[in-house]
Amino acid sequence: MDFVKAFLIGGLICGLVQILMDKTKLMPGRIMVLLVVTGAILGAVGVYQPFLEWAGSGAGVPLLGFGNTLWKGVKEGIGEKGLLGLFTGGLTASAAGICAALVFGFLGALIFKPKMKK
């Protein structure tokens, strides 16, 4: 049942984002930034963590979850290193995800030979 709930919650988030893309003139990059910032804000006010525990990976994998991870890293970094943690905490917490995105993006580029649009 956990898989079904994660699938439905993740699909609902993606569906809402698709509606946002279709009904507004926002570019995809701005929507991505909006999702990350929203996840960080929801984490900061204490709403995202209970939602994440209830929804599982369906809420943790999308960009909202990335924003929440950045927030948690910044919070821990500030507690450990003070002001320096403000700048290093988010990257420390999300380093594995960022590295995986870079590696798999590079491998995808090697396999599929991307081309620039004309």
Side-chain angles (χ1 to χ4, degrees), residues 20-77:
L20 186 65
M21 290 175 68
D22 291 344
K23 300 294 182 186
T24 67
K25 293 183 179 182
L26 290 173
M27 300 298 289
R30 290 186 177 167
I31 292 173
M32 291 172 62
V33 170
L34 180 69
L35 288 168
V36 172
V37 170
T38 302
I41 291 171
L42 291 174
V45 298
V47 174
Y48 202 80
Q49 191 61 37
F51 175 62
L52 180 63
E53 290 170 4
W54 175 77
S57 293
V61 174
L63 287 171
L64 289 169
F66 180 66
N68 184 50
T69 301
L70 287 174
W71 160 251
K72 288 194 292 189
V74 167
K75 185 178 171 184
E76 288 178 15

Side-chain angles (χ1 to χ4, degrees), residues 36 63 66 69-70 87-106:
V36 172
L63 287 171
F66 180 66
T69 301
L70 287 174
F87 302 104
T88 62
L91 290 175
T92 301
S94 59
I98 294 170
C99 182
L102 289 171
V103 169
F104 289 117
F106 178 73

